[in-house]
Amino acid sequence: MAFKDASKPSGPVALANGLTVEVNRDLCIGCGGCTALASGTFGLDDEGKSVILDSADTDTKETIQGAVAGCPVGAITAN
Ligand code: SF4
């Protein structure tokens, strides 16, 4: 798995579309919802926590915002 920023796998990471994406690893329950809704942007690491992938720029801003809205624990921010 390739991270967008290997030094900060769960962000914050600035994307080409202007969003800065971050996952709160303490809140993430590893449900996989974001990986389904924005598969280019999110993946689950070995700890079952969501990380931001190197392919994040292949998802639209709207797709990523959909994943933010779909997270059941509000763990993702993208502003
Ligand atoms: S949708 Fe939320 S809780 Fe589920 S894996 Fe993604 S960040 Fe974690």
Side-chain angles (χ1 to χ4, degrees):
M1 178 183 301
F3 305 121
K4 186 74 173 167
D5 184 339
S7 69
K8 297 177 291 183
S10 293
V13 175
L15 304 183
N17 61 23
L19 292 177
T20 295
V21 182
E22 183 171 16
V23 176
N24 183 325
R25 294 177 64 86
D26 292 332
L27 293 178
C28 176
I29 58 173
C31 72
C34 58
T35 70
L37 290 168
S39 58
T41 302
F42 299 103
L44 293 181
D45 68 10
D46 292 345
E47 298 176 5
K49 302 293 185 179
S50 178
V51 294
I52 296 131
L53 302 173
D54 191 41
S55 54
D57 288 324
T58 62
D59 281 334
T60 66
K61 184 183 284 191
E62 290 73 23
T63 295
I64 294 170
Q65 288 169 333
V68 171
C71 176
V73 294
I76 311 170
T77 55
N79 299 300

